[in-house]
Amino acid sequence: MHAWLCENPIGVDALVWKELPTPEPQADEVRVAIRAASLNFPDLLIVQNKYQMKPPLPFVPGSEYAGGVEAVGAGVKHLKVGDAVAAFGGTGGFATHALPKAALVMPLPPGFAFDDASAFVLTYGTTHHALLDRAALKAGETVLVLGAAGGVGTAAIQIAKAVGARVIAATSSDAKCALCTELGADATINYGGDNLAKLRDEIKRLTDGKGPDVVYDPVGGDLAEPVFRSIAWRGRYLVVGFAQGGIPALPWNLALLKGASIVGVFWGEFARREPQANAAALTQLAQWYAQGKVKPVIDQRLPMVDLPKAFAHMGSRQVRGKLVMTNA
Ligand SMILES: NC(=O)c1ccc[n+]([C@@H]2O[C@H](COP(=O)([O-])OP(=O)(O)OC[C@H]3O[C@@H](n4cnc5c(N)ncnc54)[C@H](OP(=O)(O)O)[C@@H]3O)[C@@H](O)[C@H]2O)c1
């Protein structure tokens, strides 16, 4: 097998593409021949030692991937050789083969393409947990999605529309806003450059002065405070991530004045602590995929050896939807 190995977590340049012995699964593992692995922002953070999870060195980055089961550990009951699967292992995906715990592997229904499946479990699982579980988003409510043209952002547009919510998609450019409109967003806001100063006015205009009921925020930084100041009475502000780099600090009186909640979202921990609730969410998402209600937006497919190019594209804020690395 070959894998991108992180021996020193000082950044993408230190990753090396190495040949390694093909491993045999332990009792609770399976070996997956990887066909596709998608990039998630945490993959970029983890190779720089900036992510909350710090795996022992060396490790293979790549948090979600899909492929075929090649070997099954003695204790594994729900999977067999030849099954098409998606896996969320946290690491291991940027390789030709991986050994995920079987509990973190989902058999794919017929017709589920590997490149879509590689961009599904974490990306859509996070967003389903955020919008439907943590924020209890309802049909007819308005959700404001920040960074709406990115991986979890595009998933948020689709999931919110699937439950009948109104979506305002906010991004840093007109081109990204246009993609969000194509995906079904009801309105868009470009907060790039000087537009940031007008963000609150735009939110007010698009919500008749009421503000969004739910905010989905994977960006953080200097967007959070003006947006939280604009939230509706009883609003729910979902803290999903900090792609801009800065962790916002808010005056707590704002929460009091709006009767609003700041709601944390940590899908990996949810999946570990509440596996049955997570499995139910993934089942609903797979049904929505089969019905065409959700489908990963794939920006580019690149050969696995081109991982550094893909990381550069993500780090320079250019991704629209998902980047997928493939093995022939
Ligand atoms: N809480 C959880 O369980 C969970 C799970 C998965 C991901 N996340 C987090 O969600 C965030 C987004 O992940 P993703 O995989 O969707 O990433 P992504 O596809 O790269 O999207 C991130 C978006 O953030 C915006 N952004 C603002 N400043 C940026 C910068 N300096 N560099 C890059 N992007 C910047 C960009 O939108 P604009 O250009 O439009 O601003 C970009 O589209 C990350 O912080 C990630 O850690 C959290």
Side-chain angles (χ1 to χ4, degrees), residues 307-327:
L307 181 66
K309 277 189 204 162
F311 270 135
H313 194 61
M314 175 171 260
S316 57
R317 206 172 170 173
Q318 294 178 63
V319 184
R320 296 185 201 170
K322 300 288 296 181
L323 292 169
V324 171
M325 312 309 300
T326 58
N327 288 315

Side-chain angles (χ1 to χ4, degrees), residues 39-45 51-52 122-123 126-127 129 146-154 170-173 176 191 216-219 223 239-245 264-269 314-322:
L39 260 72
N40 285 280
F41 208 81
D43 301 324
L44 189 54
L45 298 176
Y51 193 54
Q52 59 247 29
L122 187 155
T123 308
T126 296
T127 306
H129 171 54
L146 306 179
V152 295
T154 47
T171 80
S172 65
S173 75
K176 287 184 176 183
Y191 54 63
Y216 182 92
D217 181 6
V219 181
L223 288 177
V239 179
V240 180
F242 312 103
Q244 208 186 79
V265 176
F266 188 178
W267 177 76
E269 198 56 19
M314 175 171 260
S316 57
R317 206 172 170 173
Q318 294 178 63
V319 184
R320 296 185 201 170
K322 300 288 296 181

